[in-house]
Amino acid sequence: MKNFFSNIKGDAFGGITAGIVALPLALAFGVSSGLGPSAGLYGAIFISFFAALFGGTNTQISGPTAPMTAVSMVVIAGIIAANDGSVEKALPYILTVFLLAGLIQIGLGVLGFGKYIKYIPYPVVSGFMTAIGVIIIITQVLPSIGYYPKEDVEFVQQFKPKAEELILENILKEEAGEGILVLEDFKETVKRANDISSDQILKESQTLAAKEASGVTGAVKVFPRAIKNIKFLELILALITIFIIYGFKRITTKIPSALVALVVVSGIAYGFGLDYKSIDEIPTGFPIPVMEIFTEFKFTRITPYIFTAISLALLGAIDSLLTSVVADNMTKTKHQPNKELVGQGIGNSIAAIFGGIPGAGATIRTVVNINAGGKTKLSGMIAGIMLLVIMLGLGPVASKIPAAVLAGILITVGIGVMDYKGLKAIPALPKDLKIGPLKMSSEVIIMLVVLILSTFWDLVYAVGIGLVIASLLFMKKIGDLTAKRSDVKPLKEEAWADESGFPVNLKEEVFIKHIKGPLFFGSTSEFQQLAKQIPKTAKTVVIRLGRMQYMDQSGLYAMEDVLVDLRKQNINVLMVNLLKQPEYMMERIDIIPDLIPREHIFKDFDSCLKWIKLNVKDKV
């Protein structure tokens, strides 16, 4: 507790500065997610405070981030679509998924998974981060030019037949649930259909129109219509915002340029009474829990999103721990990864209960905090309190912010989040994979697969596929390397130093095999060629295992198959320097002693050579 208040002045200034920096991003991420600016603010307030309080990185500032918001958009859009386009009906289920993601993060921290996050391959992270940038930029093009599909009357009209069809389907489902047989009581169906108003049909049509234009594919699809319906005032506001964000950085970096752009452009637009589209109204008063998460909970409604919740939890973990590493480098400290995951999980869980979108450790906000003097957890907590004060005092004012301004801010976020380091390295990476006549870099393939699938299909599945491809290519490389290093050759071609004195008259009788790496599923096929490569004159095989530190189940059974074949040929097998893990594996399925007697296992080559001299006779 003493250390907690050891830097009050620095922490206060760092927290207040980080909170101010977080404000425009929190609003923008909230609007982008589909739940509105208040959801972004709630997420920033609660995650910042509780992740700092319970986390394992003293200077970390947490809140909604670009990757977490991009995945959240998928969850939100899917659940809203499944609930007839009603955000109000869908909200409890959306927040339940976010709550589940937070609880999973707590579980990961408690179980000690924090130290394993570092094994995520860089090409997967690179492709994902670049895809996040591309998704944000493309999806924000429409609001930046003032085009909203739900407000395009002609476009919405196209979905009227489909809307009427869906409404009728819902009527039939209701009747089926009530036990009404439609063909026997068709009048009831007609009566319910007549009760449907034109406003309900319009609302359903608008929902379908918005769904059609959602995501990267949807935005690209409706872009020609958007250009024809461009609102130049919105475009000018967005462009001025982008210009100020990049231009003001050249003047000074002490004041956040995104905040300057937000205040200046919003002030001009509101002050001159311009006819612009503003963001949704931000509720006044202290945030209250969304109790429908618990009172209306139905597990079957969120089961399709459990994998997404796991992905959100893992993504938040990676995002946060990468930021923790940055903080460590700047402050010369060491974060506690598992404690950090618990803190992030608590923050995300509480944010979900209060209607906030999920988040993670935010690199830019953390750097700002450290540079402004933040050194302890108090700085992150102050940042959250600062955002709460702004919301309570300036909520009505913030509701007047032009939507195009937030779109402009998000476009700069998208540009900034892309992994340019990984993109620049593409030409220089070694072309280590041959596909037909083409030679390509395996790392570039992984990055591009994740990038393309994330952008045009699904972020969660793209990362999963990227991890599978990365794992398979890694295993292939290890298998090739192991096979290359452990080729089966006659003794005279690769004799080790301690084999130089091997009796010349026994060289045709004894075949020596060197295994120079792990025997696992990637190298079993090469090892199984052993029986075929043994000279016909050989009656004894020596397998040197001092460099085989590991054997998996595939390697174990490959070894068993080879030993069985050798026994059928009446060939003695001797093992030299068998290490503990492979020995344990072979004992489990009785290779030792059934196929290899204990007396045929030697600690070193000299003792094996003595046995050979006593027991192997030359042909002469």
Side-chain angles (χ1 to χ4, degrees):
M1 187 61 70
K2 185 178 179 181
N3 292 334
F4 195 78
F5 295 106
S6 62
N7 185 49
I8 293 180
K9 185 178 178 181
D11 289 336
F13 191 64
I16 290 170
T17 307
I20 292 171
V21 171
L23 176 63
L25 297 175
L27 293 170
F29 287 136
V31 172
S32 174
S33 73
L35 290 185
S38 58
L41 273 177
Y42 294 163
I45 291 166
F46 290 105
I47 299 170
S48 180
F49 186 89
F50 288 102
L53 178 61
F54 295 105
T57 311
N58 288 343
T59 53
Q60 182 122 292
I61 304 294
S62 303
T65 61
M68 293 293 280
T69 303
V71 177
S72 299
M73 286 167 57
V74 177
V75 179
I76 293 165
I79 298 179
I80 288 176
N83 285 271
D84 306 322
S86 172
V87 176
E88 188 177 344
K89 286 173 62 178
L91 187 61
Y93 303 110
I94 293 169
L95 297 179
T96 301
V97 173
F98 294 163
L99 173 61
L100 181 59
L103 295 175
I104 291 170
Q105 281 186 322
I106 295 172
L108 291 173
V110 170
L111 294 173
F113 278 87
K115 59 186 177 183
Y116 296 110
I117 300 295
K118 62 185 178 182
Y119 295 112
I120 302 292
Y122 178 79
V124 175
V125 177
S126 176
F128 180 79
M129 294 306 294
T130 302
I132 293 294
V134 172
I135 291 168
I136 290 174
I137 292 168
I138 293 177
T139 55
Q140 292 306 307
V141 167
L142 299 185
S144 70
I145 62 177
Y147 181 77
Y148 297 89
K150 293 172 73 171
E151 298 175 6
D152 185 345
V153 177
E154 186 181 337
F155 183 61
V156 170
Q157 196 67 22
Q158 297 176 19
F159 296 92
K160 187 177 178 181
K162 179 66 175 176
E164 292 179 348
E165 181 184 330
L166 287 174
I167 290 171
L168 179 59
E169 283 181 9
N170 289 333
I171 290 173
L172 296 176
K173 285 178 182 178
E174 286 176 6
E175 292 182 347
E178 296 170 14
I180 298 173
L181 299 176
V182 176
L183 296 179
E184 294 180 8
D185 191 6
F186 196 68
K187 289 181 181 180
E188 177 62 24
T189 306
V190 173
K191 178 179 176 297
R192 296 190 184 193
N194 286 332
D195 290 337
I196 301 297
S197 66
S198 57
D199 287 343
Q200 288 175 284
I201 297 172
L202 175 62
K203 187 177 179 181
E204 185 66 38
S205 301
Q206 288 175 331
T207 300
L208 291 172
K211 186 178 179 181
E212 180 71 13
S214 65
V216 172
T217 306
V220 171
K221 196 183 296 183
V222 301
F223 185 71
R225 290 193 63 85
I227 290 296
K228 293 176 183 177
N229 293 275
I230 189 171
K231 293 178 182 175
F232 287 98
L233 172 61
E234 308 284 336
L235 176 60
I236 291 169
L237 291 175
L239 290 176
I240 293 174
T241 301
I242 294 169
F243 177 78
I244 292 175
I245 288 173
Y246 287 120
F248 195 78
K249 287 179 181 178
R250 295 177 176 273
I251 300 172
T252 179
T253 56
K254 292 183 178 180
I255 303 174
S257 59
L259 182 66
V260 173
L262 178 72
V263 173
V264 171
V265 183
S266 300
I268 292 172
Y270 182 73
F272 283 92
L274 301 179
D275 183 22
Y276 62 86
K277 180 179 176 61
S278 62
I279 62 175
D280 295 338
E281 186 176 347
I282 298 174
T284 56
F286 197 87
I288 57 174
V290 182
M291 298 309 297
E292 289 82 1
I293 295 176
F294 308 104
T295 58
E296 297 182 12
F297 176 76
K298 291 181 182 177
F299 189 75
T300 54
R301 299 293 289 273
I302 66 163
T303 46
Y305 302 97
I306 289 176
F307 181 65
T308 306
I310 295 171
S311 302
L312 261 175
L314 291 174
L315 175 59
I318 296 167
D319 210 359
S320 299
L321 294 181
L322 287 176
T323 303
S324 296
V325 172
V326 173
D328 284 350
N329 291 334
M330 293 184 68
T331 59
K332 308 303 178 188
T333 56
K334 181 67 177 173
H335 72 279
Q336 301 175 61
N338 295 318
K339 190 175 180 182
E340 182 60 35
L341 290 187
V342 172
Q344 292 292 332
I346 292 172
N348 278 312
S349 299
I350 295 174
I353 292 172
F354 282 88
I357 59 174
T363 305
I364 294 174
R365 282 160 265 177
T366 300
V367 170
V368 166
N369 176 42
I370 294 169
N371 289 337
K375 289 183 179 179
T376 76
K377 295 181 176 186
L378 188 61
S379 58
M381 296 165 67
I382 290 173
I385 294 170
M386 181 67 188
L387 285 168
L388 178 61
V389 170
I390 291 173
M391 187 193 76
L392 293 175
L394 301 175
V397 176
S399 297
K400 305 297 182 183
I401 294 171
V405 171
L406 294 187
I409 292 172
L410 280 174
I411 287 173
T412 63
V413 170
I415 293 170
V417 81
M418 294 171 71
D419 182 33
Y420 297 102
K421 181 181 177 181
L423 293 172
K424 287 178 183 176
I426 288 177
L429 291 172
K431 297 179 179 179
D432 55 351
L433 188 65
K434 191 172 182 181
I435 304 176
L438 299 175
K439 279 191 174 182
M440 300 182 70
S441 166
S442 57
E443 297 197 349
V444 172
I445 289 174
I446 295 166
M447 188 182 73
L448 291 178
V449 166
V450 174
L451 170 59
I452 294 168
L453 292 181
S454 296
T455 303
F456 295 102
W457 183 39
D458 186 282
L459 284 160
V460 176
Y461 290 123
V463 171
I465 290 170
L467 288 172
V468 170
I469 295 173
S471 301
L472 291 174
L473 289 176
F474 172 74
M475 290 184 288
K476 181 183 183 302
K477 285 180 185 178
I478 294 298
D480 291 346
L481 182 62
T482 304
K484 184 178 180 180
R485 292 184 61 191
S486 58
D487 282 341
V488 180
K489 296 177 181 177
L491 176 61
K492 61 183 180 182
E493 291 186 16
E494 57 168 74
W496 286 359
D498 56 357
E499 298 166 4
S500 58
F502 194 85
V504 177
N505 61 319
L506 295 177
K507 284 187 176 181
E508 290 187 2
E509 295 284 322
V510 179
F511 180 80
I512 301 178
K513 163 68 177 172
H514 303 104
I515 300 181
K516 304 175 186 175
L519 184 59
F520 70 116
F521 60 89
S523 60
T524 54
S525 59
E526 287 79 11
F527 178 76
Q528 286 172 323
Q529 299 299 314
L530 172 65
K532 299 177 182 177
Q533 295 173 328
I534 296 173
K536 293 181 179 179
T537 56
K539 295 299 178 185
T540 301
V541 171
V542 178
I543 305 179
R544 302 201 62 176
L545 300 166
R547 297 182 188 178
M548 189 185 81
Q549 307 91 339
Y550 175 77
M551 167 189 282
D552 71 356
Q553 194 168 10
S554 299
L556 178 67
Y557 292 132
M559 174 71 77
E560 183 182 37
D561 290 342
V562 167
L563 295 177
V564 168
D565 287 342
L566 293 176
R567 169 166 281 198
K568 287 178 180 177
Q569 299 174 49
N570 295 317
I571 295 175
N572 279 320
V573 177
L574 311 177
M575 289 186 173
V576 179
N577 197 15
L578 178 62
L579 301 179
K580 286 186 178 180
Q581 192 273 344
E583 181 179 15
Y584 175 83
M585 293 289 285
M586 286 190 261
E587 286 175 344
R588 296 287 71 78
I589 64 169
D590 295 326
I591 288 178
I592 300 173
D594 292 356
L595 295 176
I596 304 292
R598 287 282 177 187
E599 58 269 23
H600 285 184
I601 300 175
F602 302 92
K603 289 185 178 181
D604 53 51
F605 187 72
D606 287 342
S607 56
C608 177
L609 184 57
K610 289 178 183 177
W611 188 94
I612 291 171
K613 289 178 178 178
L614 290 173
N615 295 277
V616 178
K617 306 292 183 183
D618 58 53
K619 291 184 178 180
V620 179

